[in-house]
Amino acid sequence: MEEELLTKRLREIRRSKKFTLEKLANLTGLSKGYLSQIENSDQPPPIYTLSRISKALGIDVSDLFSHAATMPYQKIVVGRRDE
C-alpha cells in the first residue's frame, strides 16, 4: 500500500510543478511510456530511477516519502510467544 502512495505522490509533485511526462522524460533520459508506467503502478521503481526523477523535479528523494506523516496511525502490538 505504501508503494502505491509513493507512485501517486510522484505524479502529484510532477503535476504541481506543471511538468508534462514529455518534459520529465527529456530531463531524466527515461521514456515517456516508462514514466507513465511508474506513475500508474503500485510498485515503485528502483531507487536509482527515483533519484533521477527527483533530481529532474528539483526535489530531494526523501520528499517522495513525506506522505508517511499523513498516513493514518496504525497501532502495533508486540507480544512474546509465551505470553
Side-chain angles (χ1 to χ4, degrees):
M1 183 171 130
E2 290 181 31
E3 293 86 3
E4 185 178 346
L5 292 175
L6 184 130
T7 57
K8 293 199 182 323
R9 176 87 174 124
L10 182 62
R11 178 185 298 153
E12 289 172 7
I13 293 171
R14 177 183 62 80
R15 288 180 175 172
S16 73
K17 294 190 172 276
K18 305 208 183 317
F19 277 35
T20 63
L21 283 173
E22 186 170 354
K23 180 176 181 178
L24 188 57
N26 290 334
L27 292 171
T28 61
L30 302 170
S31 74
K32 192 167 72 168
Y34 181 55
L35 291 170
S36 177
Q37 182 181 355
I38 289 170
E39 289 185 357
N40 292 304
S41 175
D42 59 350
Q43 295 296 315
I47 191 69
Y48 177 74
T49 303
L50 285 176
S51 176
R52 288 172 68 179
I53 294 170
S54 63
K55 184 177 179 181
L57 291 171
I59 62 170
D60 192 75
V61 174
S62 64
D63 293 338
L64 297 173
F65 299 94
S66 67
H67 69 275
T70 62
M71 289 180 58
Y73 174 75
Q74 294 180 345
K75 184 176 180 179
I76 298 174
V77 178
V78 178
R80 296 179 189 253
R81 184 172 32 168
D82 58 342
E83 291 181 350

